[in-house]
Amino acid sequence: MLHVSDHHGSQDRHDARVVVIGTGYVGLTTGACLASLGHRVVCADADSGKVERLSRGQVDILEPGLPELVADGLATGRLVFTGDTVSAVREAEVVFLCLPTPMGLGGAADLAAVEAVAGQVRHELPDGCVVANKSTVPVGTSGRVAALLGRPDVAVVSNPEFLREGRAVHDFLHPDRIVVGGAPEAVERVAALYGTLGAPLVRTDAASAELAKYAANFFLAMKLSFANNLATLCESFGADIADVTAAIGQDPRIGSAFLQPGPGWGGSCLPKDTHALLSVCEAAGIDFPLLRATIDTNVAHQERLVERVVADLVPAGGSPAGARLALFGLTFKAGTSDLRDSPALAVARALRDLGIELVAYDPALSATRPDLTDLLTLADDPLSAADGAAACLILTEWPEFRDLDWEAVAARMDGRTVHDFRNLLDPDRLERAGLVRQSIGRPYALTG
């Protein structure tokens, strides 16, 4: 039964023995933040190289505040890293599963890592331990993990994360809610770990907690698809998307978040979670047309933007093959180095398939990315990316792009169009540089 409270109502724990399995964005943030709350945390990972780097305080992912928390945890001894998962869990009171659940065949979540770890630790978990699943998993996974463990003395709960990359540490330490689903006693034990944060606690069953994570990401994806479709309407009717979303965003029933149009939505969560939810709906024989439309709208929006770029390159028709474009930004959003399911890369692939040469710059990426060599050339600076470009595309909303020396960029470009697919730039500043800004959700005219 659902229970929401402003205060935990359970006895806070400040020194629990916690093991976090997996040190990606979620796992590392969870471990470092729990250590900062006073718990004794062991983070386990099968990647020995990553364990060695983290043990030295080297954090490979770009996440503000995380390197400092890791360094502090190591210095105080509250945070330890190991590659021996089996030994790590033997004295744990709570074990968090923070494992990857990538998109598998047909869009379903791939639970191989979760199932493998459950098999590894099932005989090593101490009596009375609680296993908390933070990985985003289909409804019923808590029961599946419990069956794999085969340990009636070990409770399995769902404790989904609601962290935004680039703000993960802030979101963990200042959550708007904490959701824990499972048997009441186990729920209270996990909730107690967060007690000092003072966030509203949603106590529920495991299935509801698991579905809540998918439902949240689906709603956010739906809102973004709505904003991008609304931008198309604005272009057709001569309206301004910024004014329209400012007007509707003042309505507390709608809110202003996730109403900014862009080159589509992506990242490590929304694409795989919407497809996973669609997969479980289909398996259950449930028709969810709004979910399918949300996904299809995202794809169609990106195709439309590519068509706009091509029409600008060759307004009379014909092939754009051989044209050169400068791409500013490749990560799925500013503040992270994550390229997973980046909408910028989706647009780039569609352009490359047309034979267009792409040169890109992103402040979070080095110029040596072998995984990108077949798609584009990665430049060391924005001016090098702009050399000989027929047009420039803004694909990630890095603030520094707003303050570029656009006169210098214009001098290096062959063309004069800047497709601002994040509505980031000042059109007057671009005009003074001799450039024409084409944004999203405002009337535009081809410049070719």
Side-chain angles (χ1 to χ4, degrees):
M1 180 178 294
L2 173 67
H3 176 68
V4 182
S5 60
D6 291 332
H7 304 286
H8 288 293
S10 55
Q11 185 176 1
D12 298 344
R13 285 293 306 274
H14 305 288
D15 61 347
R17 298 189 303 275
V18 176
V19 172
V20 176
I21 303 178
T23 59
Y25 277 92
V26 174
L28 187 56
T29 301
T30 297
C33 287
L34 286 175
S36 76
L37 298 179
H39 303 298
R40 290 166 285 167
V41 181
V42 177
C43 286
D45 199 289
D47 186 335
S48 59
K50 182 188 287 188
V51 168
E52 182 182 353
R53 293 191 299 275
L54 288 171
S55 297
R56 299 196 307 266
Q58 180 182 334
V59 176
D60 296 332
I61 59 179
L62 178 60
E63 193 61 53
L66 189 54
E68 293 80 4
L69 280 186
V70 169
D72 182 67
L74 291 170
T76 61
R78 291 192 302 267
L79 182 62
V80 175
F81 296 95
T82 182
D84 189 348
T85 301
V86 171
S87 297
V89 303
R90 287 175 179 155
E91 295 184 359
E93 296 176 70
V94 178
V95 174
F96 285 96
L97 302 183
C98 300
L99 298 160
T101 54
M103 193 187 307
L105 294 175
D110 184 348
L111 300 179
V114 174
E115 294 172 350
V117 167
Q120 290 170 6
V121 303
R122 61 188 301 259
H123 296 302
E124 307 300 329
L125 296 169
D127 183 22
C129 175
V130 176
V131 173
N133 199 346
K134 271 199 173 296
S135 303
T136 302
V137 293
V139 176
T141 301
S142 291
R144 189 171 177 177
V145 170
L148 288 170
L149 292 176
R151 294 280 303 274
D153 58 314
V154 173
V156 179
V157 304
S158 174
N159 176 215
E161 52 84 17
F162 299 97
L163 308 178
R164 295 167 293 175
E165 288 189 33
R167 294 180 59 86
V169 169
H170 176 274
D171 289 349
F172 191 102
L173 297 176
H174 303 88
D176 46 29
R177 82 284 202 194
I178 293 168
V179 179
V180 190
E185 182 180 351
V187 166
E188 294 305 320
R189 289 180 60 189
V190 173
L193 301 177
Y194 303 99
T196 57
L197 299 179
L201 172 66
V202 180
R203 300 174 175 88
T204 185
D205 58 88
S208 297
E210 289 166 342
L211 186 55
K213 170 64 176 180
Y214 278 116
N217 280 349
F218 164 39
F219 190 88
L220 296 177
M222 180 180 64
K223 202 171 180 183
L224 288 168
S225 282
F226 166 79
N228 287 329
N229 250 11
L230 186 62
T232 302
L233 286 179
C234 289
E235 292 169 7
S236 298
F237 298 148
D240 188 317
I241 185 64
D243 293 343
V244 174
T245 54
I248 66 175
Q250 294 298 316
D251 188 329
R253 297 170 299 176
I254 298 174
S256 60
F258 282 74
L259 283 180
Q260 293 72 37
W265 44 266
S268 61
C269 295
L270 298 190
K272 77 176 183 67
D273 292 352
T274 49
H275 280 89
L277 182 57
L278 183 61
S279 176
V280 298
C281 287
E282 291 173 343
I286 298 170
D287 188 24
F288 208 153
L290 187 60
L291 174 56
R292 185 179 297 279
T294 294
I295 297 170
D296 292 345
T297 296
N298 192 49
V299 175
H301 175 69
Q302 292 174 336
E303 291 172 347
R304 190 180 69 85
L305 295 185
V306 170
E307 290 170 359
R308 277 180 53 175
V309 173
V310 171
D312 189 79
L313 289 174
V314 284
S319 172
R324 178 172 177 151
L325 294 177
L327 310 183
F328 284 6
L330 294 176
T331 57
F332 86 92
K333 69 173 184 178
T336 179
S337 56
D338 200 342
L339 292 172
R340 286 176 292 178
D341 277 306
S342 169
L345 291 184
V347 170
R349 291 188 189 99
L351 293 168
R352 187 69 187 89
D353 287 344
L354 296 173
I356 298 172
E357 180 186 355
L358 306 175
V359 183
Y361 168 74
D362 191 295
L365 303 178
S366 72
T368 53
R369 289 294 301 249
D371 54 325
L372 297 176
T373 53
D374 291 339
L375 177 63
L376 50 82
T377 300
L378 198 57
D380 292 323
D381 58 81
L383 294 183
S384 297
D387 264 335
C392 174
L393 279 63
I394 304 296
L395 295 175
T396 309
E397 72 283 16
W398 288 102
E400 47 262 59
F401 293 157
R402 190 183 293 116
D403 300 320
L404 282 179
D405 182 346
W406 283 101
E407 287 78 7
V409 172
R412 303 284 281 267
M413 292 176 60
D414 285 349
R416 62 191 185 97
T417 305
V418 176
H419 294 278
D420 184 4
F421 289 155
R422 291 288 186 170
N423 288 358
L424 179 71
L425 307 178
D426 179 356
D428 294 335
R429 186 168 184 177
L430 291 188
E431 185 177 1
R432 291 194 297 271
L435 297 169
V436 177
R437 173 184 180 244
Q438 302 284 23
S439 57
I440 296 180
R442 298 182 179 94
Y444 69 92
L446 300 180
T447 60

